[in-house]
Amino acid sequence: MNKLNPKDVASDFDAEITKLVDYYLRSAASFHGSTTEKSDTSLLAEHVFLSAAISFEGALSDLFFAYTNKDASVFIAKKQSLIQDVVKREFGDWYAKKVVLGSIKHIKAGELYPLLDPTGHNITFYDAKKMVERADKYLIQAHAAKYKALSTSHHKLMNAAKFIRNCIAHRSDASYEAMMDALVKLQSGNYKSLARTADKKVNSIGAYLKASTGPKKPTRIEVYLSELRAVINVLGA
């Protein structure tokens, strides 16, 4: 695992979103007038959204790694405390006090990643709130502040994007209900044009994503991708 720079992570994600939006608009235009325009555009919207959501998850993982890599002192202090608690329960206070990792600010990238995720997968978060809590727990104050700077509306949008992605991938009743719950919560905040209600459910995710947010306004998928880009730019600044 190579050392990552938060600004580079944000820049790479920005470029990826630009490519995906251009691809979506170009491809959707090519379907215009065909007998399968509606179904083709719906399928396109789902595939492009899924690609963006996967890239977003990767960017969040890379950013958390990058900030821990820049200064791991809080992360190590928290782990030392947890280890001491385990030793204290098993062997007593005297032994626990002998477990001292010391003040460690920098850990080699190759050594750090297994500490953050021993399974070798992306560093993932159940939802936006859990992500901010984890940042507050393991990152230095200056880096954790970037996560705390995200608005409540951004939290709701991130959660909606994650659960839409899950529903596209799994197509299960549980994933659909989680998606609908997240979309209903968008009614309060800055993304009402993306929201659904308990009475107005999503019958087709592709149709929902390709729909315009209003007369002469961008489609929902364009809004989602633009706002996911904004989130990463806030975190990577």
Side-chain angles (χ1 to χ4, degrees), residues 67-200:
Y67 284 126
T68 312
N69 189 222
K70 285 172 73 73
D71 191 329
S73 56
V74 173
F75 174 75
I76 292 299
K78 292 292 184 182
K79 292 301 181 181
Q80 176 178 291
S81 179
L82 289 172
I83 294 169
Q84 287 175 333
D85 287 344
V86 172
V87 173
K88 184 176 181 179
R89 286 197 302 271
E90 293 295 324
F91 302 103
D93 190 55
W94 187 89
Y95 288 99
K97 290 179 178 178
K98 300 301 180 184
V99 179
V100 179
L101 300 178
S103 178
I104 302 174
K105 183 176 181 179
H106 298 294
I107 302 174
K108 291 180 180 179
E111 296 176 352
L112 176 61
Y113 206 90
L115 301 181
L116 292 173
D117 182 50
T119 65
H121 298 144
N122 278 342
I123 302 164
T124 58
F125 315 92
Y126 176 74
D127 58 18
K129 180 182 177 182
K130 293 295 183 183
M131 179 186 71
V132 175
E133 289 175 351
R134 192 167 175 184
D136 192 38
K137 182 177 181 180
Y138 288 126
L139 302 181
I140 64 171
Q141 186 175 356
H143 297 160
K146 297 176 184 292
Y147 290 80
K148 294 178 183 179
L150 292 172
S151 68
T152 300
S153 290
H154 273 137
H155 283 207
K156 292 178 180 178
L157 179 124
M158 290 171 64
N159 293 343
K162 175 177 179 174
F163 292 120
I164 291 171
R165 173 216 162 148
N166 289 350
C167 193
I168 293 174
H170 302 295
R171 307 288 181 177
S172 65
D173 290 342
S175 64
Y176 178 82
E177 291 303 322
M179 178 187 73
M180 281 305 306
D181 182 62
L183 293 179
V184 168
K185 289 176 180 176
L186 288 175
Q187 291 180 81
S188 60
N190 298 333
Y191 302 110
K192 291 182 176 64
S193 63
L194 304 177
R196 298 284 83 184
T197 66
D199 297 328
K200 195 172 184 180

Side-chain angles (χ1 to χ4, degrees), residues 30-63:
S30 72
F31 299 149
H32 185 66
S34 70
T35 57
T36 56
E37 177 183 357
K38 289 184 178 180
S39 59
D40 286 348
T41 308
S42 292
L43 186 60
L44 172 69
E46 290 190 9
H47 286 181
V48 170
F49 185 90
L50 189 59
S51 293
I54 291 170
S55 294
F56 182 68
E57 180 185 288
L60 290 179
S61 177
D62 288 346
L63 283 170

